[in-house]
Amino acid sequence: TTIGPSRGAFSGDIRIECIHRAMGRKGTQWMVVFNIVGMLLTGTLNTLCTKIQFTMTSVGIDGKPELFHKPWFATLNMLFAMGLVGVVDKIYRKCYAPRSAMASPLMIDRVYDGSSPGSATYGKKVVLVIVPAAFDIAATALCAIGMLYIPASVWQMLRGSAVVFSAILSVMFLKRKLLAFNWIGFFLFILRVAIV
């Protein structure tokens, strides 16, 4: 593998090679399509259910109908769901440990620090994810509050703008270089959010 001397990370050529290798695997293309369709459907369903939840009315303690405006409860639901995914992941890792090279990651994208690629333990990886996960929960709470005041369609478009900020921050702090198709997607997304 080639390591970019000035960037200290794997080069874009390596990333593209990993993508081509992964796409060449039998059955992988169908799984990619399945995952994309699944993410679109579940993301839309999540947004609609959250908006419906916040527009439901119920009789309060005083006997008057009230709207269910409880964004922190929605965040607690999301936290609980994420915890369940962690349990499922742990069970999967115990039952179906990687037994072949087919289970290797599709993309190698990490800062090169001189250590071997598999040196980080599962526990260390979990600890490294805690801080971003805490920020994600805070973002989920703020998004739930925003859902109270704007239509679901506008909310979904603005929520997706995280892609733009992720690209900007990865270029600024991780010194990544975006490829041509990344830039095209970046500007198309900015145009889409501006139209909304």
Side-chain angles (χ1 to χ4, degrees):
T1 60
T2 305
I3 297 181
S6 61
R7 292 170 40 206
F10 289 101
S11 67
D13 295 336
I14 299 297
R15 284 187 273 160
I16 292 172
E17 179 186 328
C18 290
I19 292 171
H20 288 296
R21 187 183 69 209
M23 293 302 288
R25 294 179 183 168
K26 189 174 184 176
T28 303
Q29 288 130 344
W30 289 109
M31 282 305 296
V32 169
V33 171
F34 176 76
N35 287 334
I36 289 171
V37 170
M39 286 189 296
L40 288 173
L41 290 176
T42 56
T44 303
L45 185 62
N46 180 42
T47 301
L48 291 175
C49 288
T50 303
K51 190 63 176 179
I52 290 168
Q53 173 186 347
F54 290 151
T55 57
M56 297 198 66
T57 58
S58 179
V59 178
I61 296 174
D62 57 358
K64 296 179 183 176
E66 297 178 14
L67 284 172
F68 184 82
H69 282 179
K70 311 247 185 294
W72 294 105
F73 180 72
T75 305
L76 180 65
N77 287 337
M78 187 68 73
L79 179 64
F80 179 70
M82 289 178 185
L84 288 179
V85 170
V87 171
V88 170
D89 178 60
K90 190 68 172 174
I91 292 170
Y92 178 82
R93 288 178 181 277
K94 289 287 185 188
C95 295
Y96 302 104
R99 297 183 181 103
S100 68
M102 294 297 285
S104 64
L106 297 179
M107 292 189 64
I108 301 169
D109 191 18
R110 65 176 193 84
V111 175
Y112 181 74
D113 59 359
S115 62
S116 62
S119 64
T121 64
Y122 180 76
K124 184 176 180 182
K125 291 176 186 176
V126 169
V127 170
L128 289 173
V129 169
I130 288 175
V131 173
F135 280 113
D136 184 59
I137 290 294
T140 302
L142 294 173
C143 286
I145 292 169
M147 180 72 85
L148 296 173
Y149 303 107
I150 60 175
S153 58
V154 174
W155 181 89
Q156 186 73 29
M157 295 292 281
L158 293 175
R159 172 77 168 155
S161 67
V163 172
V164 173
F165 294 108
S166 297
I168 291 169
L169 294 173
S170 69
V171 168
M172 287 174 54
F173 296 110
L174 300 176
K175 307 297 184 213
R176 291 187 180 160
K177 290 188 178 184
L178 298 180
L179 303 173
F181 68 90
N182 297 126
W183 283 110
I184 291 169
F186 181 79
F187 287 116
L188 284 175
F189 196 86
I190 289 176
L191 179 66
R192 183 181 80 157
V193 171
I195 289 171
V196 171

